């Protein structure tokens, strides 16, 4: 058996298709990445420049947008280059780095969504104490705590995965260095690694999902008890976008990491991976913009101001 430290590179299999389809995938991934960066950058700009949006909810939303840019940047540019240029070889160190940062940002996003659910719970269920409970110190603590939790998880996942031995075929049946796909490449017994991944990722996903479910359980009960239909509609509108984002993220991630046999269906995993690595970071800004009255009003104001300044130049 060859020691894993002697392995210098891996080969990303990607998707099995003819060259024309590979170029189409490259264009598609590049376009989606551009939309992701522009959309999330616009969200950050809007939140930072509008004083009305300087509240805990938008503080978390701004950090989520920054995270989504980083999250997508770890995967999408490399995948697009792989499809367009056919450069499927990735060095051992680059593969480990990609896995580390992907696990870091993915885990952090799960904790972010849980923190945002708690924020909405406080706003709807304890509106009079909202500003006291969700003070700046607690918000910063939640963000920093989310990143620290991500660091712990990604360190363990990457360390355990790259402690395996790799010999024979070095092909990773994926378009990036995901934990299950890299484990599947190893010639070592991966049972312990799979148990660690299932236990660690499962506890993180189930734990953060429980926080979300409990928070929204109380939110729904509180909304139904509101006497005014207008208040019920307003309360629901502030939570609906986050609920949609949560369902998309946790649904796909649970399928990938929180169930037994996650490494046994690589082709299905690749398709699901596109959703949570590329699609969700791209559509999050649209979900929060199109379903958020305050953000839409801020956008309208900025376009009106731009129009005022542009008229004299025409």
């Amino acid at each position: 058996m060859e020691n894993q430290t002697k392995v210098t590179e891996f080969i990303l299999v990607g998707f099995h298709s003819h060259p024309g389809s590979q170029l189409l995938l490259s264009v598609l991934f590049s376009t989606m990445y551009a939309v992701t960066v522009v959309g999330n950058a616009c969200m950050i700009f809007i939140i930072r420049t509008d004083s009305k949006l300087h509240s805990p909810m938008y503080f978390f939303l701004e950090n989520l947008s920054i995270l989504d840019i980083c999250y997508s940047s770890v995967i999408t540019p490399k995948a697009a280059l792989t499809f367009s240029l056919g450069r499927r070889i990735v060095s051992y160190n680059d593969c480990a780095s990609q896995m580390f940062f992907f696990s870091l940002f993915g885990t952090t996003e799960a904790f972010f969504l849980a923190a945002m659910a708690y924020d909405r719970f406080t706003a709807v269920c304890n509106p009079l104490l909202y500003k006291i409970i969700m003070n700046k110190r607690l918000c910063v603590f939640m963000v920093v705590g989310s990143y620290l939790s991500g660091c712990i998880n990604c360190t363990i996942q990457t360390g355990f995965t790259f402690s395996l031995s790799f010999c024979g075929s070095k092909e990773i049946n994926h378009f990036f260095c995901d934990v299950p796909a890299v484990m599947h490449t190893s010639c070592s017994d991966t049972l312990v690694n799979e148990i660690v991944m299932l236990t660690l990722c499962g506890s993180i996903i189930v734990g953060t999902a429980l926080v979300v479910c409990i928070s929204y359980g109380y939110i729904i009960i509180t909304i139904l008890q509101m006497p005014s239909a207008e208040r019920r509609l307003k309360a629901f509108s502030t939570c609906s976008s986050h609920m949609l984002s949560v369902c998309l993220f946790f649904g796909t991630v649970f399928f990938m990491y929180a169930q037994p046999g996650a490494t046994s269906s690589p082709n299905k995993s690749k398709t699901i991976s596109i959703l949570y690595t590329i699609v969700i970071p791209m559509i999050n800004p649209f979900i929060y913009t199109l379903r958020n009255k305050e953000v839409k009003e801020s956008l309208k104001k900025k376009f009106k101001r731009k129009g005022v300044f542009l008229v004299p130049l025409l």
Side-chain angles (χ1 to χ4, degrees):
M1 183 181 292
E2 185 180 1
N3 191 283
Q4 99 279 359
T5 55
K6 295 181 182 178
V7 174
T8 59
E9 59 188 27
F10 295 99
I11 300 170
L12 294 171
V13 172
F15 294 91
H16 296 287
S17 57
H18 55 80
S21 298
Q22 295 289 314
L23 183 59
L24 180 62
L25 281 171
S26 177
V27 173
L28 181 63
F29 275 42
S30 299
T31 303
M32 294 172 79
Y33 178 64
V35 173
T36 299
V37 173
V38 172
N40 283 286
C42 286
M43 282 297 297
I44 295 166
F45 175 76
I46 292 166
I47 293 169
R48 287 194 175 181
T49 55
D50 193 335
S51 58
K52 291 183 179 179
L53 302 181
H54 292 175
S55 65
M57 182 177 77
Y58 294 106
F59 173 75
F60 287 122
L61 186 53
E62 179 187 350
N63 279 279
L64 181 66
S65 294
I66 295 170
L67 188 66
D68 277 341
I69 292 174
C70 298
Y71 189 41
S72 185
S73 297
V74 173
I75 306 298
T76 316
K78 172 65 178 175
L81 285 173
T82 298
F83 294 137
S84 62
L85 303 177
R87 295 178 181 174
R88 302 182 182 277
I89 295 175
V90 57
S91 71
Y92 180 90
N93 291 334
D94 285 347
C95 188
S97 297
Q98 188 180 54
M99 181 185 293
F100 179 89
F101 286 107
F102 170 71
S103 298
L104 167 62
F105 297 131
T107 305
T108 303
E109 181 145 350
F111 281 96
F112 265 16
L113 293 174
M116 292 170 74
Y118 178 75
D119 170 73
R120 291 299 82 208
F121 158 75
T122 308
V124 175
C125 301
N126 297 291
L128 298 178
L129 298 174
Y130 177 68
K131 290 184 178 180
I132 298 172
I133 296 172
M134 297 303 297
N135 54 67
K136 187 175 181 180
R137 185 177 179 180
L138 179 62
C139 293
V140 172
F141 175 79
M142 284 182 168
V143 170
V144 173
S146 296
Y147 275 105
L148 286 176
S149 301
C151 284
I152 293 169
N153 180 51
C154 70
T155 300
I156 294 172
Q157 290 289 349
T158 307
F160 265 80
T161 302
F162 282 89
S163 67
L164 296 169
S165 296
F166 298 93
C167 51
S169 175
K170 299 175 186 176
E171 290 188 345
I172 297 174
N173 193 7
H174 217 303
F175 60 89
F176 70 97
C177 293
D178 196 14
V179 177
V182 175
M183 272 199 290
H184 194 71
T185 307
S186 172
C187 56
S188 301
D189 182 3
T190 60
L191 178 61
V192 174
N193 292 70
E194 290 188 48
I195 292 173
V196 169
M197 184 186 76
L198 183 62
T199 303
L200 191 59
C201 293
S203 61
I204 290 171
I205 295 166
V206 172
T208 51
L210 273 175
V211 172
V212 171
C213 290
I214 292 171
S215 297
Y216 277 104
Y218 279 106
I219 287 170
I220 291 169
I221 292 171
T222 303
I223 289 175
L224 292 176
Q225 291 175 344
M226 290 178 178
S228 168
E230 185 180 348
R231 284 185 63 193
R232 288 198 297 269
L233 182 62
K234 184 179 180 181
F236 180 76
S237 66
T238 62
C239 303
S240 58
S241 56
H242 184 248
M243 288 174 67
L244 179 58
S245 182
V246 162
C247 290
L248 289 170
F249 180 83
F250 282 105
T252 54
V253 172
F254 181 85
F255 176 86
M256 286 296 301
Y257 302 106
Q259 60 168 335
T263 63
S264 60
S265 49
N267 291 327
K268 190 182 291 185
S269 296
K270 282 187 280 187
T271 305
I272 298 296
S273 295
I274 294 176
L275 288 175
Y276 70 87
T277 59
I278 300 171
V279 176
I280 293 176
M282 178 186 70
I283 65 175
N284 268 345
F286 298 98
I287 291 173
Y288 286 103
T289 301
L290 297 176
R291 301 187 65 86
N292 191 301
K293 186 178 178 181
E294 291 176 326
V295 175
K296 285 191 287 186
E297 286 178 354
S298 180
L299 273 171
K300 287 178 183 177
K301 287 179 182 178
K302 291 188 187 307
F303 278 121
K304 284 180 180 178
R305 287 175 186 174
K306 204 169 186 180
V308 169
F309 287 109
L310 286 174
V311 169
L313 298 174
L314 295 175

